[in-house]
């Protein structure tokens, strides 16, 4: 029995291309005790995957060359030698990019599709929602009445951050890159203001105008000049959870920018890089809140679902062109 | 009765000069109920004073033009209409740069010269020591065995940070700007290593060599390229208390440098700008520890004392040329 896999073929210099991936057909070995055979249903593609393509010191080990790519996958059990799983079970795990996957029972957990559709476990009830929750609530520590700015606001984490900040009584300003996204943020997701950085010549002034009381929390998904413009408007005792720096991921050398530490110093600002997996003790509390808010209709979720296992590399590359609104997922 | 005062005459563009100050003789008014007349003994000059010379948003309001400069002063009570103070008492307060000073009893507190010499209350038992304590202990949260790097290490705060880190079981590397200071840090203050940034061509490699396990806490007094070199060697989950950015204070525009947020993000680093006055609840605990360590001889203190009230502006300008080792104080 064979299956198709997508391997990491070459480390990109700058923006990744299709050259960095290779499709292969492999023989599946025999199922061992405590293993299951899965049919992949939904595959997550995420910005963090770009930094794993570099052979650099980072919070997660880099992807290994000539090994399959891996990420969050929702799958159906089609054969089981585990007492914990039976054929037909829907499961979630960090798994290789293969159409069919053999894995140990230790690597997967069952999901409950009564609470939410299966794909939500790759998003709002998974790492996406928890990233927003941990960064905003535990690092940002929002107080009602404060001003929260989110960059990459129309991304999966961004829309969750904005809505949670609204639930907690904050004024919320989103930054995104198309008029369509701006409209969506304001009309569908209830942001107080949203700014299209691609059509706004002076972001610093635009943020000042949108934030008359300055910025108390800046949830940073993008880095670069957009972040500079926000930090020029940062308030005393502000908090900056650093969640992503997508503007910089594809740089081949360290890009230059203004030295903003003097602002961080004189305004007593906190900047905290974080990775959600360091905050596992908060996950149960986070999932409980997220599921409750989803159930109440206060926390909406959007997915860009691309059809076809073969589209995985394209979908990942699309993240860096802003092709997604909300969580980007590939459906096999 | 007249006294001499030093007023802030003009906001500097770039590095301050004597042109920014003016000496005046003023008439002292009659002493009112609850006021005291003081003879200034020791006047503190500190790097933070530079940022108060700009008319910019900062943690403390800027100095006002044509008003006396002000800062920490130790003085003797020479006349009192306060029930709380009598002639001869030694007091500490945030006071104007005048040879004789009339102030309310609310602005001063008595000091105990049995515990330490009077000038120490401007330094190791005052804002200097507390700044080191708050930044290192409460923001840096050092664990025994960790590596601590301090820039501006031969400054008043720097030597305190290094010694406290040693007391708490850390490996300590200092960065300073002369071979004399390097020798002092290693021989007098017990730093494990010290690096002269003025004679070291490749600071990034020098720090890497001195910190084989990378940098867990970077106590930043200086900013600029020195800080870049340290941050390139920062460890996962490191903490960077931002205490000063003296390399940048005299810049007339925002200087450029590498964008380091990607490092902060991928290594889950905390950067926290702070001002000691936000941490008043920690002062009693801090002073208790500092006094104990001083008493035990574990925490040594150095002062550069310049003689003559008229030398105050010169002494302040000298801070930006690195003329001090330890706390810079003017003795009237």
């Amino acid at each position: 029995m064979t299956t198709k896999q997508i391997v990491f073929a070459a480390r990109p210099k700058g923006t990744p291309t299709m050259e960095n991936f290779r499709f292969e057909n492999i023989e599946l070995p025999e199922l061992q005790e405590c293993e299951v055979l899965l049919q992949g249903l939904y595959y997550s593609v995420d910005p963090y995957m770009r930094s794993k393509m570099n052979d650099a010191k980072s919070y997660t080990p880099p992807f290994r060359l000539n090994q399959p790519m891996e990420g969050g996958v929702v799958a159906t059990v089609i054969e089981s030698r585990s007492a914990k799983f039976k054929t037909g079970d829907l499961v979630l795990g960090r798994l290789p990019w293969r159409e069919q996957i053999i894995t140990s029972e230790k690597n997967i957990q069952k999901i409950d599709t009564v609470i939410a559709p299966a794909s939500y476990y790759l998003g709002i009830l998974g790492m996406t929602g928890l990233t927003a929750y941990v960064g905003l609530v535990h690092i940002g520590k929002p107080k009602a009445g404060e001003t929260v700015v989110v960059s990459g606001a129309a991304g999966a984490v961004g829309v969750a951050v904005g809505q949670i900040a609204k639930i907690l009584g904050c004024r919320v300003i989103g930054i995104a890159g198309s008029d369509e996204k701006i409209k969506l943020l304001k009309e569908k997701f209830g942001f107080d203001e949203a700014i299209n950085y691609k059509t706004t010549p002076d972001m610093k002034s635009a943020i000042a105008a949108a934030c008359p009381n300055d910025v108390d929390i800046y949830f940073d998904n993008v880095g670069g000049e957009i972040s500079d413009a926000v930090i020029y408007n940062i308030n005393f005792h502000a908090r900056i959870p650093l969640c992503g720096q997508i503007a910089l991921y594809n740089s081949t050398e360290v890009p230059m920018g203004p030295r903003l530490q003097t602002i961080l110093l004189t305004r007593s600002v906190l900047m905290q890089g974080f990775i959600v997996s360091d905050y596992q003790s908060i996950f149960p509390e986070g999932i409980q809140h997220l599921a409750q808010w989803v159930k109440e209709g206060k926390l909406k979720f959007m997915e860009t679902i691309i059809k076809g296992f073969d589209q995985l590399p394209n979908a990942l590359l699309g993240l860096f062109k802003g092709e997604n609104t909300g969580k980007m997922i590939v459906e096999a």
Side-chain angles (χ1 to χ4, degrees), chain A:
Chain A
M1 188 178 164
T2 65
T3 196
K4 202 191 290 183
Q5 69 177 10
I6 303 172
V7 305
F8 180 47
R11 299 205 184 277
K13 294 185 176 55
T15 305
T17 66
M18 291 302 290
E19 309 281 296
N20 302 114
F21 307 94
R22 190 173 63 239
F23 289 80
E24 288 178 348
N25 285 302
I26 58 155
E27 204 73 25
L28 282 174
E30 197 143 320
L31 211 55
Q32 304 296 309
E33 193 59 41
C34 299
E35 285 185 341
V36 292
L37 173 64
L38 305 173
Q39 180 74 43
L41 282 180
Y42 296 104
Y43 297 77
S44 184
V45 294
D46 299 277
Y48 78 83
M49 292 174 171
R50 175 62 188 85
S51 53
K52 280 173 72 83
M53 291 183 173
N54 294 335
D55 193 13
K57 181 166 187 166
S58 186
Y59 37 58
T60 51
F63 287 127
R64 281 175 301 165
L65 285 172
N66 303 311
Q67 295 295 314
M69 294 284 294
E70 56 171 39
V73 178
V74 167
T76 313
V77 176
I78 52 177
E79 199 184 326
S80 177
R81 290 193 62 191
S82 159
K84 296 181 180 164
F85 298 95
K86 61 178 195 301
T87 303
D89 281 347
L90 279 173
V91 298
L92 170 71
R94 181 166 184 80
L95 297 166
W97 285 8
R98 290 182 176 137
E99 287 190 300
Q100 293 177 330
I101 306 155
I102 288 177
T103 195
S104 158
E105 62 183 17
K106 292 180 301 190
N107 295 334
I108 54 173
Q109 57 187 98
K110 273 187 230 181
I111 60 173
D112 179 356
T113 52
V114 173
I115 295 173
S119 62
Y120 275 38
Y121 288 88
L122 296 177
I124 195 69
L125 299 182
M127 288 304 124
T128 304
L130 286 168
T131 298
Y133 186 87
V134 162
L136 179 68
V137 176
H138 278 265
I139 298 172
K141 297 189 170 59
K143 293 189 273 288
E146 286 192 325
T147 299
V148 176
V149 171
V150 193
S151 59
V157 171
V159 294
V161 168
Q163 293 177 92
I164 298 170
K166 285 304 295 177
I167 292 168
L168 299 175
C170 297
R171 174 173 168 77
V172 179
I173 290 87
I175 302 172
S178 78
D179 287 342
E180 193 186 356
K181 288 177 180 176
I182 296 306
K183 193 163 178 279
L184 201 71
L185 292 176
K186 291 203 276 193
E187 293 180 5
K188 182 177 167 80
F189 293 112
F191 283 55
D192 295 290
E193 289 289 344
I195 303 172
N196 181 347
Y197 71 89
K198 288 191 180 162
T199 57
T200 303
D202 181 354
M203 282 296 288
K204 183 178 166 184
S205 302
I207 291 161
C211 306
N213 299 320
D214 290 343
V215 179
D216 299 297
I217 298 176
Y218 172 43
F219 194 104
D220 186 9
N221 285 305
V222 304
E225 291 177 14
I226 291 172
S227 294
D228 300 342
V230 180
I231 293 172
Y232 285 125
N233 289 289
I234 206 82
N235 205 355
F236 290 93
H237 301 109
R239 290 79 70 197
I240 305 179
L242 285 181
C243 178
Q245 297 279 292
I246 202 166
L248 309 179
Y249 287 164
N250 289 326
S251 302
T252 47
E253 46 195 71
V254 181
M256 301 294 277
R259 293 187 180 279
L260 301 172
Q261 283 94 326
T262 305
I263 296 177
L264 303 186
L265 169 62
T266 54
R267 301 186 196 169
S268 298
V269 175
L270 168 95
M271 183 178 269
Q272 172 79 66
F274 76 102
I275 170 141
V276 67
S277 53
D278 278 343
Y279 294 81
Q280 305 217 13
S281 64
I282 295 165
F283 288 4
E285 164 203 324
I287 289 172
Q288 192 187 346
H289 279 124
L290 293 164
Q292 182 67 25
W293 291 328
V294 168
K295 208 174 111 187
E296 294 171 359
K298 290 179 185 168
L299 181 54
K300 296 180 188 122
F301 186 56
M302 275 193 74
E303 297 166 323
T304 299
I305 296 188
I306 296 184
K307 187 82 185 131
F309 175 81
D310 291 357
Q311 293 304 309
L312 265 165
N314 262 332
L316 178 57
L317 303 186
L319 283 181
F320 302 105
K321 303 175 199 150
E323 288 174 359
N324 57 311
T325 302
K327 180 76 185 93
M328 184 83 115
I329 286 170
V330 171
E331 185 177 358

